[in-house]
Amino acid sequence: MSARRFWVFIEQEEGKAHPVSWELLGVASRLASEVKEEADAAGDTVHVECILLGNQVEHIAHEAIKYGAERVYLVDEPELEHYRNCPYYKCIVGVVRKYEPEVFLIGATTLGRDLAGAVATSLRTGLTADCTGLEMGEVKGSKQRLLLATRPAFGGNIMATILCRQSRPQMSSVRPRVFPMPPYNPEAVGEIVREEVPLDEKDTEACILEFIRDQAESVDIEYADVIVSGGRGLGTPEGFKLIEELAHELGGVVGASRPCVDAGWISYAHQVGQSGRTVRPKLYIAAGISGALQHKVGMQNSDFIIAINSDPNAPIFDVADVGIVGDLFQVIPAMIKEIKARKEALA
Amino acid sequence: MFHALVAVKQVPDTTNIRIDPETGNLVREGVPAIMNPYDAHALASAVEWKRKLGGKVTVVSMGPLSFTVTIREAVELGADVGYLVTDRKFAGADTLATSYVLAQVIQMIHEKEPIDVLFFGKQAIDGDTAQVGPGVAVRLDLPIITYAVKIRDIDLAKRQIIVERKTERWTEVVEAPLPALVTCEKEIAEVPFAPLPDLIRSLRYEPEVLTVDNTGIFDAESIGVRGSPTVVFKMGTPPLPEPGEKINSREVGVEAAVAAAFAKAEAAGILTSVLGGVK
């Protein structure tokens, strides 16, 4: 009889958790349920747990429990006030070695990617980056189900399913918004276990001298409710003015496909897709985007997708709930007019 | 004297990869191989600092013999020495095995000629994993600064580097002791046009080839498939969802097409909730 632990790294900065942590707790709960039957039969127990690092962040541990964690391992130290690679990865490796989780999920944010590679290398285990699909599946030659991690490969043109037979934990990083938020249960109870990991002076040698908060535009497309995205079909950078106008009418933000960003028509912060951001708004409007796989994996989980393209065979129509075949320079102005009329009717 | 080491990878220009619609296979023909763009910017930064401080830029690449062209390109851009780490025994390496091989080679170079700064691209555009840089840093127990957008200072006397790195939230100014490993965004430096002498030199440049046998520094259990904990279970194109309704605005007229599309969004309960939220 053994304990099979499914772990999530809870990412926080300035005392605030990144929502990808909760999305991953939802995934960990599902993965745990996928091995429940097999574990029961073998007399094993299954646990959904997480690890949290920071300085005075116990309040986040309570939140984690409400999003589905049975147990939170908490390392709470002044040295961990701000994220730094070395002290963070060494603490995590210390706690992982103690409890030996079977699966360990980390958000593929800039912080999570910086961390995940260091943790996996230090533990000499496998790490699959930017997964878009995760399940516990049966694999020939393995008594227990293994983590099947699916991710786009070759610039997002093909999907590869990766597994890690022997080394543990089986690690994956997952981008924000790839998976939905799990339910929040205010009544949930769980345990907080405080851990201490001794650090050497050398581990904290790299230090942050200052933080520069950018004054320039910051676009939060990941958690936007409405996104209007433009692609090569816009023809020129000026085409984005029309996209902006429609986004503004809908209270949304502007997205873009990779070719527009590569061509310098709009900044990288707007890029939707495997090499940009993954999004799942309520409404996604794709205008003049042909729909390369690498774009589709970044937006196909949107609640409702409207695609506009002059080519009736454009692959974007395959993921759209409704497609309009036509000239976007006619369709979008008509949309703006229609939205204005509907808003007036609502007012 | 400043000694920079730059790790470069050759990648297919993924913007040009296509899937054969009939067979669903990757079409590799005619896909040009290029130096990973982030590595090119990392190299450009290393060369800038070499010119400021005086010293040397060493390039390392792991891959088949065809990667020689990428090392020549690095020489063209200002690298002084290039090592090509190549062996059939490395085949099938995942990021863990790759970081092992690079770390062993870098350690070997460092013992001959101490390295001050290791420059990596933030990720390669074919795998997009961003794991090899942190992996090498962990194996060599070096401080790592990822997502660097600017190197403010390299002080060889004080043995420290000051770097600006961009995160989703802010820009951090980080100070770390040397030697340190930096993974670079494109903003770190512009890739320059090659000066004529470097261009001429690069044409005939032959990299130093390192293999398992001629170095004797690799443990057979840590390289190639054996050193790789992950394996590809299967590959394929993703299943297509049921496509939605397609409305041809040329047939029904633009306004009718838009009205029909919005009616569908409304029926799905989307439009009202979206417009209800707009102030």
Side-chain angles (χ1 to χ4, degrees):
Chain A
M1 138 147 199
S2 61
R4 298 178 65 174
R5 302 179 194 279
F6 291 77
W7 273 27
V8 171
F9 168 68
I10 303 298
E11 173 176 338
Q12 65 81 24
E13 274 182 300
E14 299 185 305
K16 217 170 158 270
H18 193 296
V20 72
S21 316
W22 313 143
E23 293 158 17
L24 293 184
L25 265 176
V27 176
S29 299
R30 176 174 56 77
L31 296 177
S33 71
E34 287 169 5
V35 301
K36 184 80 176 57
E37 203 175 312
E38 158 189 298
D40 284 348
D44 295 336
T45 54
V46 181
H47 306 277
V48 177
E49 301 175 335
C50 57
I51 180 163
L52 168 65
L53 279 67
N55 183 27
Q56 301 190 343
V57 290
E58 198 189 307
H59 61 284
I60 299 172
H62 292 288
E63 245 186 301
I65 289 165
K66 289 168 185 139
Y67 280 108
E70 281 171 58
R71 197 168 290 109
V72 183
Y73 300 99
L74 172 64
V75 191
D76 210 339
E77 300 280 352
E79 281 292 1
L80 303 174
E81 167 81 27
H82 292 291
Y83 172 78
R84 281 178 296 169
N85 180 277
C86 192
Y88 264 65
Y89 97 73
K90 290 204 171 161
C91 278
I92 290 174
V93 165
V95 185
V96 165
R97 288 221 166 101
K98 185 168 167 189
Y99 294 98
E100 299 180 335
E102 173 170 337
V103 167
F104 188 18
L105 308 177
I106 297 182
T109 57
T110 45
L111 188 161
R113 288 168 141 245
D114 182 275
L115 177 67
V119 170
T121 307
S122 186
L123 293 165
R124 304 289 190 265
T125 193
L127 164 62
T128 307
D130 293 336
C131 299
T132 53
L134 290 170
E135 61 172 310
M136 298 301 292
E138 283 174 7
V139 176
K140 244 189 222 161
S142 172
K143 269 192 274 174
Q144 293 189 334
R145 283 176 181 250
L146 298 179
L147 180 67
L148 303 183
T150 301
R151 75 180 303 258
F154 296 105
N157 289 293
I158 207 158
M159 304 301 281
T161 300
I162 315 281
L163 58 81
C164 175
R165 275 182 197 278
Q166 261 144 33
S167 314
R168 293 293 176 270
Q170 304 166 79
M171 288 182 62
S172 286
S173 73
V174 181
R175 291 157 163 248
R177 300 298 256 164
V178 170
F179 292 103
M181 282 288 273
Y184 177 85
N185 175 7
E187 311 296 325
V189 285
E191 187 187 355
I192 296 171
V193 181
R194 288 186 176 263
E195 295 290 335
E196 274 176 36
V197 180
L199 291 172
D200 292 346
E201 206 170 299
K202 189 175 178 294
D203 299 335
T204 52
E205 263 180 343
C207 58
I208 303 171
L209 301 177
E210 62 176 303
F211 296 94
I212 306 165
R213 284 169 205 268
D214 298 335
Q215 298 300 311
E217 54 152 6
S218 71
V219 212
D220 186 12
I221 64 170
E222 264 164 11
Y223 288 89
D225 276 341
V226 178
I227 299 172
V228 184
S229 282
R232 232 184 317 215
L234 292 175
T236 63
E238 284 69 42
F240 272 104
K241 289 200 180 115
L242 195 56
I243 298 288
E244 256 166 50
E245 204 183 324
L246 178 58
H248 177 75
E249 280 305 325
L250 288 163
V253 300
V254 174
S257 68
R258 182 158 97 179
C260 299
V261 175
D262 286 349
W265 294 1
I266 191 163
S267 72
Y268 173 73
H270 295 271
Q271 187 172 322
V272 174
Q274 177 66 7
S275 47
R277 302 275 179 228
T278 300
V279 298
R280 54 189 311 145
K282 288 181 186 161
L283 177 62
Y284 189 91
I285 300 178
I289 295 176
S290 63
L293 183 54
Q294 86 90 17
H295 185 78
K296 288 194 288 193
V297 296
M299 47 65 83
Q300 64 195 5
N301 289 330
S302 306
D303 291 345
F304 197 88
I305 298 168
I306 301 177
I308 307 160
N309 207 294
S310 55
D311 173 7
N313 299 316
I316 192 76
F317 288 124
D318 298 339
V319 294
D321 294 279
V322 54
I324 300 177
V325 181
D327 177 2
L328 71 94
F329 291 101
Q330 291 176 5
V331 174
I332 293 183
M335 282 184 158
I336 293 169
K337 210 173 127 194
E338 171 90 15
I339 295 293
K340 280 187 172 157
R342 278 171 179 266
K343 281 203 289 194
E344 265 171 39
L346 277 175
Chain B
M1 284 281 278
F2 176 58
H3 187 200
L5 182 135
V6 188
V8 299
K9 184 182 184 186
Q10 188 186 96
V11 294
D13 187 350
T14 51
T15 48
N16 283 309
I17 288 186
R18 294 281 176 273
I19 301 274
D20 185 322
E22 305 267 299
T23 61
N25 290 332
L26 279 181
V27 181
R28 286 169 187 271
E29 283 112 65
V31 177
I34 55 171
M35 183 190 294
N36 178 40
Y38 295 106
D39 301 350
H41 288 269
L43 172 62
S45 178
V47 170
E48 272 182 23
W49 282 96
K50 172 185 85 169
R51 298 211 163 113
K52 258 182 239 175
L53 301 169
K56 173 174 175 181
V57 172
T58 299
V59 164
V60 172
S61 191
M62 173 181 164
L65 282 171
S66 60
F67 279 30
T68 301
V69 295
T70 301
I71 290 181
R72 287 196 181 125
E73 197 185 330
V75 169
E76 187 184 320
L77 294 174
D80 299 280
V81 183
Y83 291 92
L84 178 61
V85 191
T86 189
D87 205 299
R88 286 203 176 152
K89 294 183 183 121
F90 297 145
D94 69 3
T95 56
L96 191 73
T98 302
S99 71
Y100 170 76
V101 170
L102 287 175
Q104 290 297 100
V105 168
I106 291 166
Q107 185 63 38
M108 184 187 85
I109 295 168
H110 183 69
E111 279 162 18
K112 276 196 288 186
E113 257 179 299
I115 299 161
D116 299 301
V117 181
L118 290 79
F119 293 79
F120 281 58
K122 75 160 179 178
Q123 65 196 50
I125 60 166
D126 56 348
D128 282 326
T129 70
Q131 288 166 10
V132 173
V136 170
V138 166
R139 288 178 179 278
L140 297 172
D141 202 15
L142 297 175
I144 180 165
I145 305 166
T146 53
Y147 303 100
V149 290
K150 186 180 176 185
I151 297 180
R152 279 198 186 173
D153 191 32
I154 297 173
D155 191 326
L156 295 176
K158 283 202 233 157
R159 302 296 301 156
Q160 71 177 29
I161 184 169
I162 299 176
V163 178
E164 290 179 17
R165 69 184 291 259
K166 203 161 167 38
T167 75
E168 280 146 14
R169 238 162 211 256
W170 47 44
T171 300
E172 289 174 9
V173 184
V174 181
E175 181 191 284
L178 297 180
L181 192 152
V182 181
T183 79
C184 303
E185 294 273 7
K186 288 182 181 170
E187 295 96 309
I188 196 94
E190 283 296 319
V191 179
F193 286 102
L196 194 59
D198 287 346
L199 184 64
I200 293 167
R201 180 169 170 260
S202 74
L203 294 174
R204 295 187 177 183
Y205 187 80
E206 287 299 331
E208 294 199 34
V209 175
L210 305 179
T211 64
V212 171
D213 290 339
N214 79 6
T215 58
I217 56 174
F218 302 108
D219 159 31
E221 291 302 314
S222 301
I223 60 172
V225 175
R226 275 203 272 177
S228 300
T230 60
V231 291
V232 176
F233 183 57
K234 60 182 180 202
M235 283 258 219
T237 43
L240 288 178
E242 279 292 299
E245 185 191 352
K246 224 184 277 179
I247 306 163
N248 196 326
S249 69
R250 285 161 201 146
E251 286 161 13
V252 301
V254 171
E255 273 162 27
V258 166
F262 281 170
K264 257 203 114 190
E266 189 163 35
I270 296 296
L271 205 56
T272 322
S273 89
V274 163
L275 292 182
V278 181
K279 295 284 174 295

